[in-house]
Amino acid sequence: MLRKFQAWKKSQDLNTLSLSERKDQVKQHPVPEHIAIIMDGNGRWAQKRALPRMMGHHEGMKVVRHVTRLANELGVKVLTLYAFSTENWKRPKTEVEFLMKLPEEFLTTFLPELIEKNVQVRIMGDKSELPAHTIRAVDNAIEKTKHNTGLILNFALNYGSRHEIMGAIQSLVEDVEQGKVASSSISENLFSSYLMSKSLPDPDLLIRTSGELRLSNFMLWQIAYTEFWFTEVLWPDFKENHLIEAVEAFQKRGRRFGGV
């Protein structure tokens, strides 16, 4: 009963704090090392305003900028954003073409600040199907930030977890057949080294916007012990206070990883 009262009292106290004060409080406790976000609700945001779906995607791009700044400020090590899934090719051609132009626009305008803030850009996904102009923009950002040592801004672009896992299995089987790996040495850690996220820690916190309660083929292997935080807020309406709220919720949870 006392713990419940203390938690309620703390929640009331947080409501009286400014955003800046909440940021300071969050930084006094362990923050998630890796935050992954399923950015959902762009189309619905636009439809609610009788706007083309593309306008929702464009507004959502602006939110990426604000969230990246805040994550960097809080000391988050990795921010993975689900930008385009392997299933998103099913959308109308005009929408897909617009989505493929967004990385170029975003990285062109935001790259100087990313460099200044010591942010490193990475991509996780199958680049082979992406348009040449999208690849050029991404590769340019990766090259110009590769020596940065701060926040890793990792875009999941043309990414699907099942596709990733199948690719990892195929590569591992080939290495076993060629004698590079002994079948007796296969372990979870070894398998993880064949995934696209091999150089990154598993996510500590997964955020999904728009009220949907599903994972949509996103990092299925990596999120075995990830904390989930869902919100009804559509991605273009996602503000700094929402990210702070998610991190505050994370900091209240006890992570036992199967222990006691």
Side-chain angles (χ1 to χ4, degrees):
M1 181 65 72
L2 178 60
R3 285 200 299 269
K4 288 183 179 179
F5 173 78
Q6 289 172 336
W8 174 83
K9 181 68 166 58
K10 185 176 181 181
S11 68
Q12 298 304 302
D13 292 341
L14 286 174
N15 290 335
T16 66
L17 298 177
S18 68
L19 182 62
S20 178
E21 290 171 328
R22 289 174 69 187
K23 288 180 188 177
D24 290 339
Q25 280 213 356
V26 161
K27 288 191 283 186
Q28 292 174 19
H29 305 280
V31 299
E33 184 175 353
H34 183 173
I35 296 177
I37 304 180
I38 301 176
M39 306 178 292
D40 195 19
N42 292 338
R44 274 168 282 172
W45 182 91
Q47 289 170 349
K48 285 174 64 176
R49 291 159 177 79
L51 297 170
R53 286 176 57 85
M54 277 77 87
M55 292 299 297
H57 295 307
H58 200 268
E59 286 299 309
M61 182 185 69
K62 297 177 184 177
V63 177
V64 171
R65 193 167 189 161
H66 300 312
V67 167
T68 301
R69 285 172 179 161
L70 179 54
N72 195 32
E73 182 183 341
L74 294 178
V76 175
K77 298 289 191 296
V78 183
L79 178 64
T80 295
L81 303 176
Y82 204 7
F84 191 89
S85 76
T86 50
E87 290 78 26
N88 286 157
W89 295 106
K90 300 173 186 176
R91 296 186 176 187
K93 183 180 178 182
T94 53
E95 183 174 346
V96 170
E97 289 176 347
F98 184 85
L99 287 168
M100 287 296 111
K101 292 176 182 176
L102 286 181
E104 185 174 8
E105 180 179 348
F106 174 81
L107 292 170
T108 299
T109 58
F110 196 26
L111 186 57
E113 183 175 340
L114 294 174
I115 294 171
E116 178 189 349
K117 298 296 184 181
N118 197 31
V119 173
Q120 183 184 132
V121 176
R122 294 193 192 178
I123 182 175
M124 181 176 74
D126 184 359
K127 290 170 59 177
S128 66
E129 296 180 10
L130 299 177
H133 62 85
T134 305
I135 295 174
R136 280 196 302 270
V138 170
D139 285 348
N140 179 58
I142 291 172
E143 175 63 27
K144 290 188 175 177
T145 63
K146 66 181 181 182
H147 297 301
N148 290 353
T149 57
L151 171 74
I152 294 173
L153 178 57
N154 181 43
F155 289 101
L157 191 59
N158 194 25
Y159 171 85
S161 186
R162 288 183 174 183
H163 177 74
E164 174 190 33
I165 290 171
M166 290 303 298
I169 291 171
Q170 290 167 353
S171 296
L172 180 54
V173 168
E174 288 176 8
D175 284 351
V176 170
E177 290 176 343
Q178 294 174 14
K180 297 178 182 178
V181 174
S183 59
S184 59
S185 70
I186 296 176
S187 64
E188 290 185 9
N189 286 337
L190 178 65
F191 182 74
S192 294
S193 72
Y194 282 80
L195 297 173
M196 296 174 182
S197 60
K198 59 190 173 189
S199 61
L200 303 175
D202 289 342
D204 299 296
L205 174 63
L206 171 72
I207 297 170
R208 179 162 189 157
T209 58
S210 87
E212 302 292 352
L213 305 178
R214 56 177 177 267
L215 299 176
S216 296
N217 198 19
F218 184 54
M219 300 189 83
L220 301 177
W221 175 272
Q222 298 90 332
I223 60 173
Y225 283 102
T226 298
E227 299 293 328
F228 294 173
W229 191 81
F230 298 103
T231 177
E232 298 282 341
V233 175
L234 303 175
W235 179 247
D237 291 327
F238 193 84
K239 308 298 182 189
E240 285 188 328
N241 63 292
H242 297 119
L243 181 59
I244 292 292
E245 184 181 349
V247 175
E248 288 169 344
F250 171 86
Q251 291 176 333
K252 294 174 186 175
R253 298 182 187 180
R255 306 186 75 204
R256 295 180 295 276
F257 300 96
V260 294

